[in-house]
């Protein structure tokens, strides 16, 4: 499961900018081991150190000791085994559970499939790959507001009912 991304090099001692995709950003450091896909093979990576830096983090990876080595890690996605995530209570779900859910409105019209979720300061937003051929809209953006817009989420059957035209 994708949980973060390595950015540009920071300084000359092998530090690298790192962006966490977890809801509580610091929790990323509780979910070890981390994996990368390199040359079509999964490899585990070990952190030497990490620090908060502005609105993201900087990290040191074991055996990455200078800027030139650190530069080879730029734009690397970080994955974890989803079994390492905390167990959820009934009717709770992770964002990755929402991806690929089919979206229907309350009139039982199929709107499309969830391809992404984004967060802003007001609420989360589902990005739906549009299936309405009559509209010239590529994707539909639906606010993820429980009860008001999101009427039902069935993770087992991968369906979501929304109040949306």
């Amino acid at each position: 499961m994708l949980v973060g991304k390595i950015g540009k090099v920071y300084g000359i001692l092998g530090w690298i900018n790192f962006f966490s995709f977890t809801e509580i950003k610091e929790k990323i450091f509780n979910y070890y081991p981390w994996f990368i896909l390199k040359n079509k093979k999964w490899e585990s990576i070990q952190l030497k150190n990490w620090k908060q830096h502005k609105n993201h983090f900087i990290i040191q990876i074991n055996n990455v000791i200078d800027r030139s080595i650190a530069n080879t890690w730029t734009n690397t996605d970080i994955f974890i085994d989803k079994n390492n995530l905390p167990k959820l209570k009934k009717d709770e779900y992770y964002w990755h559970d929402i991806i690929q859910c089919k979206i229907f409105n309350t009139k039982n019209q199929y709107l499309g499939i969830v391809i992404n979720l984004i967060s802003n300061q007001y609420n989360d937003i589902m990005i739906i790959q549009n299936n309405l051929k009559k509209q010239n809209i590529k994707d539909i953006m639906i606010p993820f507001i429980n009860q008001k817009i999101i009427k039902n989420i069935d993770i087992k059957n991968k369906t979501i009912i929304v109040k949306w035209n």
Side-chain angles (χ1 to χ4, degrees):
M1 183 176 116
L2 179 65
V3 292
K5 187 172 194 89
I6 293 175
K8 296 186 298 185
V9 173
Y10 178 86
I12 61 170
L13 300 176
W15 288 88
I16 311 168
N17 287 288
F18 177 74
F19 301 90
S20 171
F21 300 155
T22 57
E23 184 176 7
I24 300 170
K25 302 301 180 198
E26 294 82 15
K27 292 270 186 176
I28 186 75
F29 299 105
N30 295 338
Y31 307 137
Y32 292 113
W34 287 2
F35 297 96
I36 61 167
L37 189 59
K38 192 173 185 180
N39 300 323
K40 298 182 182 181
K41 290 184 181 180
W42 289 104
E43 293 183 21
S44 175
I45 65 168
Q46 303 296 320
L47 281 190
K48 182 176 179 183
N49 204 351
W50 66 273
K51 297 178 190 177
Q52 179 80 38
H53 180 71
K54 298 181 183 175
N55 64 343
H56 61 284
F57 303 97
I58 54 173
I59 61 172
Q60 280 185 314
I61 298 170
N62 278 354
N63 302 319
V64 176
I65 55 173
D66 64 34
R67 186 175 182 86
S68 61
I69 297 171
N71 200 40
T72 65
W73 289 81
T74 299
N75 293 324
T76 300
D77 290 329
I78 301 296
F79 298 86
I80 63 165
D81 182 337
K82 68 181 178 180
N83 293 325
N84 290 343
L85 294 172
K87 300 294 182 214
L88 298 175
K89 297 175 187 166
K90 187 179 182 338
D91 297 326
E92 289 185 332
Y93 37 81
Y94 287 108
W95 274 18
H96 71 269
D97 296 326
I98 302 292
I99 304 293
Q100 297 298 309
C101 280
K102 294 176 184 168
I103 303 295
F104 295 89
N105 67 16
T106 53
K107 298 173 189 168
N108 206 30
Q109 294 172 312
Y110 179 62
L111 301 179
I113 193 164
V114 179
I115 57 171
N116 199 3
L117 286 122
I118 58 175
S119 188
N120 66 34
Q121 69 186 57
Y122 302 108
N123 53 266
D124 297 333
I125 298 170
M126 291 188 301
I127 310 297
I128 314 303
Q129 187 174 35
N130 185 13
N131 240 31
L132 302 175
K133 305 295 182 203
K134 62 185 176 186
Q135 293 181 357
N136 198 16
I137 302 170
K138 186 175 179 182
D139 295 331
I140 303 169
M141 300 176 85
I142 300 177
F144 199 93
I145 303 172
N146 273 324
Q147 308 307 319
K148 188 172 183 178
I149 295 175
I150 306 299
K151 296 298 181 180
N152 186 5
I153 298 174
D154 183 346
I155 296 299
K156 183 178 177 187
N157 294 308
K158 299 292 278 182
T159 59
I160 298 174
I161 308 297
V162 297
K163 185 175 183 181
W164 201 261
N165 293 332

